[in-house]
């Protein structure tokens, strides 16, 4: 098989495309001929050796990747032959999803309907599931004015069309004209470029009020999140789902309490949930199949994984990043 292997920690250049022995399915496992594999922002940090507050860096040599879709081409002991040839997606690829062939416990497989493509399946089972979990904590309603930071990213591109179907007013903030145009195409009521000074004033001008935002979905942190917080109406909800800027944001607790602002540490709550998230993944796949959740992704060749990591680190990607063998 072909695989992307890390033999030392460092920049994107340490991701090397190599020939490796094909894995064999063990008891209770299947082997999957991979058609699409997912990439996460955090994998760039792990590739570099890890970061404070993040999962530990992988032992070397390593093949990263936790989401894979493809067709079953072999089964291990105890697995019925009816799985052969089936289209599936899994969150438990071994040794890792950055490969052309993986194995997975049959208990971790989700069969795919023909209406869901491989790239969409990888997007939905990971990013789609966590997006719905975060929105559960946000509890958007039709009367809300929701500001989504990093709106052209994997979660933002799923969240904005989803909440618009609920009748929620959606503001999408992203970096640069191209990403702002992408957000506009998602159906956002307003798209703003938060790399431009004074972007929050554009929000106020559009709505004609001092603090028009009732909820913020913050995956960026830092100064951009602080500026978004300044747009929040009293009684609003600040839902923290990440810190792609490298700095977490939390308002002064006394000031937030005085304004009745609820701060929801959604990513920490999600991480503390039981490890079995099969129901969340099934729900996301069902939402994708019936059109309630629209998978948005950008593909790179598996052999181009280093470039994919570099583009993601430079914030030049939109939607879920997918590797295709």
């Amino acid at each position: 098989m072909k695989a992307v292997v890390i033999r030392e920690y460092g920049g994107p250049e340490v991701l090397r495309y190599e020939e490796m022995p094909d894995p064999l399915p063990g008891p209770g496992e299947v082997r999957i001929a991979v058609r699409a594999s997912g990439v996460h922002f955090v994998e760039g940090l792990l590739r570099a050796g890890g970061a404070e507050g993040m999962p530990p860096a992988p032992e070397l040599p390593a093949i990263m990747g936790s989401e894979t879709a493809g067709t079953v081409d072999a089964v291990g002991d105890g697995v019925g032959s009816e799985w052969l040839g089936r289209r599936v997606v899994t969150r438990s690829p071994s040794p890792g999803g950055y490969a052309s062939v993986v194995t997975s416990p049959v208990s971790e497989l989700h069969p795919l309907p023909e209406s869901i493509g491989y790239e969409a399946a990888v997007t939905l089972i990971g990013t789609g599931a966590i997006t719905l979990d975060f929105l559960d904590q946000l509890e958007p309603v039709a009367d809300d004015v929701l500001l989504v930071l990093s709106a052209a990213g994997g979660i933002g591109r799923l969240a904005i069309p989803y909440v618009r179907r609920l009748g929620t007013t959606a503001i999408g903030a992203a970096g640069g004209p191209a990403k702002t145009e992408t957000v506009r195409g998602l159906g956002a009521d307003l798209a703003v470029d938060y790399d431009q000074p004074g972007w929050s004033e554009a929000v106020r001008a559009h709505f004609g009020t001092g603090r028009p935002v009732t909820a913020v979905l913050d995956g960026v942190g830092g100064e951009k999140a602080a500026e978004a917080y300044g747009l929040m109406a009293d009684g609003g909800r600040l839902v923290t789902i990440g810190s792609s800027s490298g700095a977490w944001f939390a308002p002064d607790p006394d000031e937030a309490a005085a304004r009745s602002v609820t701060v929801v540490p959604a990513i920490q709550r999600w991480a503390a949930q039981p490890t079995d998230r099969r129901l969340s993944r099934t729900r996301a796949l069902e939402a994708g199949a019936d059109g309630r959740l629209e998978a948005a992704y950008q593909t790179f060749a598996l052999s181009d994984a280093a470039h994919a990591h570099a583009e993601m680190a430079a914030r030049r990607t939109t939607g879920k990043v997918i590797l295709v063998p």
Side-chain angles (χ1 to χ4, degrees), residues 34-225:
V34 176
R35 298 289 296 275
S37 298
V39 180
H40 285 272
F41 183 83
V42 69
E43 290 167 355
L45 301 177
L46 300 180
R47 179 208 69 231
E52 185 177 352
M54 295 293 174
E59 293 185 11
L60 302 179
I63 299 173
M64 291 195 299
S66 60
E67 304 147 341
T68 304
T71 57
V72 175
D73 72 354
V75 298
D77 291 344
V79 179
S81 60
E82 68 273 11
W83 282 101
L84 288 171
R86 293 189 73 174
R87 304 172 70 250
V88 297
V89 62
T90 180
R91 278 277 289 177
S92 299
S94 179
Y98 293 13
S100 60
V101 180
V102 299
T103 62
S104 171
V106 70
S107 60
E108 293 294 320
L109 299 181
H110 294 264
L112 294 180
E114 291 299 325
S115 60
I116 298 181
Y118 297 109
E119 296 89 349
V122 166
T123 303
L124 292 166
I125 196 174
T127 305
I130 198 172
T131 297
L132 292 181
D133 287 346
F134 287 155
L135 290 176
D136 285 346
Q137 297 187 55
L138 177 69
E139 297 182 319
V141 296
D143 291 339
D144 273 324
V145 177
L146 171 63
L147 171 58
V148 179
L149 301 184
S150 191
I155 290 174
R157 289 191 66 173
L158 291 167
I160 287 177
Y162 188 88
V163 301
R164 287 295 297 120
R165 288 188 174 88
L166 302 177
T168 301
T169 299
I171 306 165
K179 288 190 176 183
T180 305
E181 187 61 31
T182 294
V183 173
R184 193 171 291 113
L186 297 173
D189 297 274
L190 177 65
V192 293
D193 181 352
Y194 59 18
D195 284 346
Q196 295 298 315
W199 65 269
S200 59
E201 293 305 316
V203 176
R204 290 191 175 94
H206 180 86
F207 288 94
T209 184
R211 288 176 171 169
V213 174
T214 63
V216 172
L217 195 64
D218 170 32
V220 177
E223 294 180 0
K224 290 181 172 65

